[in-house]
Amino acid sequence: MLADYHMHTTLCKHAEGTVQEYAEMAALKKLTEICFTDHCPAPGGYDPVNRMLLSQFSEYTQMIRSVQASVKLPVLFGIEADFYPDCERFLSDWLPAQNFDFVLGSVHYIKDWAFDDPRMISIWRSANVEQAWREYFKLVAELAETGMYDSLSHPDLPKKFGYRPSDTVISEIVQPALDAIAKAGMCIEINSSGLRRTVKEIYPSPGILSLARERNIPITFGSDAHSPNEVAHAFDLSITLAKEAGYTQFARYKNRKRTLHPLPA
């Protein structure tokens, strides 16, 4: 039985359903536990259309505390915090002060380009794809070096719309970032939402996951659910991917402390 450590709420402005409905679906699918990881507020004005305001964080907290009290399934309190220039000014003090169980780290922007936003897909058509991937994984390495995060979400997100360099180039690009993740003691996430996108592939690719396994980087699982029916989506395929890469365990968190547990048979 697995844990889904990537779920959103309506406060991100692009999800639907109540936290109670997410928890009930998780119980129906016999998950061990779940963690809500909605998009972190960014008071400096970063990406306001996809996240709660700082003034709404107390509402988010209350939503999670309420469902924790109303369901038997363990429900963890988490956040998905983006890495972007100058984010540490806010996050380095704010994240440790919130009593999170788990913090996902994400990169959604290359400079001012929201590269996974369907409204900006036209930029991919004229972009230097290899250079975009290099810039993305440079940011991932910088994310890891901050020490602020527990797991990297959707590790190869730039492939969302099918734009990617050769496997050989990807292998060369990602290894310094994976080295930084390993050094930081972080996990990477196996995120099944890629199956619901143009690329029709789990994040990360088998090649990247194998490189992570070579570095003994632990894994977490996430559906990136934005509606209750997406909870634990295609986790059977995520488990298979993990096993094929050589994994036998996955990580769970409590109060940001990691424990490792056997993968389901």
Side-chain angles (χ1 to χ4, degrees):
M1 296 195 296
L2 289 185
D4 192 338
Y5 272 25
H6 195 158
M7 301 191 302
H8 293 271
T9 78
T10 53
L11 289 174
C12 74
K13 306 182 179 75
H14 55 280
E16 59 185 23
T18 67
V19 291
Q20 185 77 24
E21 290 170 332
Y22 284 75
E24 289 172 356
M25 180 61 72
L28 184 65
K29 293 190 174 184
K30 295 181 169 52
L31 294 183
T32 301
E33 66 183 5
I34 57 174
C35 184
F36 284 93
T37 52
D38 213 349
H39 291 290
C40 183
Y46 166 82
D47 191 33
V49 299
N50 289 306
R51 62 198 61 250
M52 70 186 85
L53 300 172
L54 186 58
S55 61
Q56 294 176 303
F57 181 71
S58 60
E59 180 182 351
Y60 176 60
T61 302
Q62 183 54 42
M63 289 168 67
I64 307 310
R65 300 307 181 206
S66 175
V67 77
Q68 285 174 332
S70 66
V71 299
K72 293 182 180 179
L73 178 78
V75 176
L76 303 184
F77 181 46
I79 203 80
E80 181 181 359
D82 276 27
F83 176 80
Y84 53 92
D86 233 12
C87 67
E88 292 167 271
R89 185 176 305 198
F90 171 63
L91 292 177
S92 61
D93 291 327
W94 187 82
L95 286 174
Q98 306 312 316
N99 297 315
F100 289 121
D101 289 305
F102 178 66
V103 176
L104 270 175
S106 297
V107 174
H108 287 101
Y109 275 77
I110 298 171
K111 297 184 175 69
D112 59 353
W113 174 26
F115 59 85
D116 71 321
D117 189 333
R119 294 169 297 182
M120 295 191 178
I121 191 173
S122 61
I123 297 176
W124 277 111
R125 300 183 185 117
S126 58
N128 181 324
V129 172
E130 179 179 326
Q131 185 59 33
W133 277 65
R134 289 187 182 279
E135 292 183 27
Y136 168 80
F137 277 102
K138 181 176 182 293
L139 290 168
V140 167
E142 293 173 6
L143 176 159
E145 289 164 359
T146 68
M148 297 191 301
Y149 309 90
D150 298 317
S151 186
L152 173 68
S153 63
H154 34 62
D156 51 356
L157 184 59
K159 73 182 181 187
K160 179 176 179 178
F161 303 116
Y163 294 90
R164 52 183 162 189
S166 70
D167 289 345
T168 301
V169 170
I170 290 174
S171 177
E172 180 256 311
I173 288 171
V174 304
Q175 292 194 58
L178 292 175
D179 291 339
I181 289 168
K183 184 177 180 180
M186 286 176 59
C187 299
I188 64 168
E189 176 191 58
I190 296 182
N191 182 312
S192 60
S193 71
L195 295 170
R196 308 193 296 270
R197 313 305 181 205
T198 304
V199 71
K200 297 290 187 282
E201 183 179 281
I202 293 172
Y203 307 110
S205 68
I208 292 175
L209 191 59
S210 293
L211 291 170
R213 181 67 188 93
E214 289 175 7
R215 290 160 172 78
N216 293 314
I217 296 172
I219 52 173
T220 58
F221 288 90
S223 63
D224 211 341
H226 284 71
S227 66
N229 65 0
E230 293 175 349
V231 172
H233 172 249
F235 268 21
D236 56 335
L237 299 179
S238 294
I239 294 168
T240 298
L241 178 65
K243 290 181 176 180
E244 288 177 347
Y247 282 93
T248 59
Q249 297 177 308
F250 72 102
R252 290 166 56 185
Y253 281 79
K254 182 70 175 178
N255 297 323
R256 303 200 63 187
K257 302 296 184 183
R258 183 171 71 211
T259 56
L260 295 176
H261 301 263
L263 288 173

